[in-house]
Amino acid sequence: MSRFADYNINKITPYVPGEQPRVQKYIKLNTNENPYPPSPKAIAAAVSETNKYNLYPDPECRELTEKLAEEFSVGIENIFVGNGSDEVLAFIFQGFCEGGVAFPDITYGFYKVYSEIYNRTAEIIPLKDDLSIDYNDYLNVDKTVVIANPNAPTGMVLEIEDIEKILQCNKNNLVVIDEAYVDFGSMSSVRLIKEYDNLVVVGTFSKSRSLAGARIGYAVSNKYVIDDLNKIKFSFNPYSLNRATLAAASASISDREYFEECISKIISTREKFKLKLKEMGYLQTDSKANFVFVKHPYLSGEDVFEKLKDSGILVRHFKKERISDYLRITIGSEEDMEVVIKELSKLVDDRGNL
Ligand code: PMP
């Protein structure tokens, strides 16, 4: 820390991203990336944009906004795009959370970090013992509510009817539904934006569209919230999405066939993997995301994490109360998961030696 940093910067604990190994070759299942490459059409579109790098990109992201509007059957005035959903979430914490913000104790770590950096009072609400969200806890919080649905790292889903109850009881605050993992088998809340002006749905191209490295996120909400988000963006960095990224994102939406093929492969691998875990005696939440959240009744999470790492498999372990025995394992290719099953099964067999 320098002696020049503001008090507010000094006191924050930054988000710790999952390890991005540079040397050893791991089966990398620690940051919920998609095992399949982006659509070949997205790659071609991005490459062909690079010879226009002498020109600024479109600050209004018009083509992508139109594509997303069509995808969600809303108007272009209902769509905001940002540099990853992290940027979209940061703008929301910056611009709409004066009255405080409420979110679960076990959820996406960035919500706490954004609360700190933007000086927002955070009401942190414990998940139930089974690690699910109790919507009743959010009915009268009178703060901006932020819920990842499916939640991370549990992958568990809150039903749309329950989200609707939260929206009805919190009319003077935004309810932000972070749908980073929605495409892997749960229902989007986007259809509720016509009815509830306090709803913002946030999404990303990082998971289901294999574009984590390109950085594209979006928000769907009523026109006024979208105008506010654009006001923040245009007061900060109007060119936050580069030309190649914008082209890749638009082309990815157009290639529905490739998108659906990748999603269905991941869902099918996940379901097979969940079944195997169960057979081996591992306990898990009912994940509808591209990861599972799993522990063994007799094995320590940290030990399993280390053993897998020694075998060349990188997963995510959180040294956090209530979940320190769990591991979050991203769903990779069918072959990757077979290797993981083999290693996890060995650990159960050798458990006397751990
Ligand atoms: N929300 C959740 C719940 C996430 O897990 C992530 C990815 N780590 C994000 C948002 C951010 O995704 P991105 O910035 O890549 O769009």
Side-chain angles (χ1 to χ4, degrees):
M1 173 201 105
S2 81
R3 62 197 167 85
F4 308 105
D6 289 348
Y7 170 74
N8 196 36
I9 296 300
N10 200 356
K11 75 175 188 335
I12 58 177
T13 313
Y15 177 72
V16 183
E19 192 178 332
Q20 301 290 351
R22 281 191 195 95
V23 194
Q24 192 180 339
K25 184 137 176 40
Y26 286 103
I27 295 182
K28 192 175 173 305
L29 306 173
N30 66 335
T31 48
N32 299 339
E33 288 144 324
N34 197 310
Y36 304 108
S39 147
K41 290 178 186 155
I43 297 173
V47 169
S48 77
E49 228 13 58
T50 55
N51 65 5
K52 295 187 213 128
Y53 265 1
N54 54 319
L55 304 172
Y56 282 109
D58 172 11
E60 289 174 1
C61 308
R62 186 69 187 212
E63 188 189 351
L64 177 57
T65 303
E66 282 171 2
K67 290 244 150 96
L68 282 166
E70 197 185 328
E71 182 73 11
F72 293 123
S73 308
V74 296
I76 55 166
E77 67 281 7
N78 300 117
I79 301 287
F80 172 79
V81 289
N83 184 287
S85 56
D86 282 340
E87 185 181 74
V88 179
L89 289 162
F91 286 171
I92 292 171
F93 275 75
Q94 184 179 20
F96 302 87
C97 300
E98 227 164 36
V101 54
F103 51 83
D105 61 339
I106 296 162
T107 190
Y108 184 37
F110 243 131
Y111 304 157
K112 186 153 183 288
V113 178
Y114 291 142
S115 306
E116 286 176 8
I117 198 161
Y118 295 118
N119 247 328
R120 303 314 193 190
T121 310
E123 181 173 342
I124 297 180
I125 301 178
L127 295 181
K128 291 199 280 190
D129 287 345
D130 68 356
L131 302 183
S132 66
I133 292 174
D134 186 346
Y135 73 88
N136 286 294
D137 293 338
Y138 296 85
L139 292 187
N140 292 299
V141 287
D142 199 26
K143 292 184 177 69
T144 300
V145 168
V146 184
I147 288 177
N149 195 39
N151 195 13
T154 64
M156 293 169 88
V157 170
L158 193 60
E159 296 304 327
I160 300 288
E161 304 81 69
D162 298 339
I163 289 174
E164 213 168 342
K165 287 173 199 142
I166 301 172
L167 286 161
Q168 284 161 358
C169 290
N170 202 22
K171 291 244 156 102
N172 293 325
N173 294 280
L174 287 184
V175 175
V176 182
I177 304 298
D178 176 352
E179 295 191 346
Y181 302 101
V182 75
D183 293 328
F184 301 102
S186 64
M187 173 98 86
S188 171
S189 301
V190 161
R191 67 181 172 86
L192 298 178
I193 68 146
K194 294 196 170 113
E195 219 172 316
Y196 297 97
D197 71 348
N198 55 335
L199 172 63
V200 186
V201 177
V202 176
T204 180
F205 283 55
S206 295
K207 316 294 178 183
S208 56
R209 294 193 178 273
S210 304
L211 285 167
R215 313 303 302 129
I216 309 128
Y218 57 87
V220 190
S221 189
N222 74 79
K223 171 191 183 328
Y224 301 101
V225 169
I226 297 302
D227 285 349
D228 295 336
L229 284 169
N230 274 312
K231 199 166 166 184
I232 299 172
K233 170 180 154 172
F234 280 80
S235 309
F236 169 66
N237 176 10
Y239 304 116
S240 64
L241 280 100
N242 70 61
R243 283 182 165 274
T245 284
L246 286 170
S250 293
S252 148
I253 296 187
S254 302
D255 196 353
R256 175 170 291 281
E257 198 182 331
Y258 183 84
F259 169 72
E260 286 175 357
E261 190 190 315
C262 290
I263 297 283
S264 75
K265 279 197 281 192
I266 291 169
I267 294 176
S268 139
T269 308
R270 177 189 69 205
E271 292 308 309
K272 279 189 223 160
F273 186 60
K274 280 165 78 170
L275 212 61
K276 283 277 182 201
L277 288 170
K278 198 170 161 207
E279 283 168 15
M280 292 188 283
Y282 285 87
L283 307 173
Q284 61 193 307
T285 53
D286 184 17
S287 174
K288 293 277 185 275
N290 67 336
F291 54 83
V292 295
F293 198 50
V294 60
K295 69 172 181 179
H296 192 278
Y298 308 119
L299 301 176
S300 115
E302 196 159 5
D303 286 345
V304 179
F305 171 81
E306 292 297 343
K307 291 272 174 193
L308 288 177
K309 194 167 175 184
D310 291 346
S311 323
I313 300 165
L314 203 52
V315 301
R316 192 83 202 256
H317 175 246
F318 301 92
K319 283 189 185 155
K320 193 177 154 95
E321 227 180 295
R322 298 178 77 193
I323 57 167
S324 60
D325 274 334
Y326 279 89
L327 297 175
R328 192 195 67 194
I329 307 178
T330 304
I331 302 299
S333 66
E334 198 82 24
E335 301 77 51
D336 289 343
M337 301 325 280
E338 272 162 26
V339 178
V340 180
I341 289 163
K342 230 180 248 165
E343 290 304 322
L344 286 175
S345 143
K346 264 197 234 160
L347 293 180
V348 176
D349 297 340
D350 301 348
R351 71 174 183 245
N353 305 322
L354 271 172

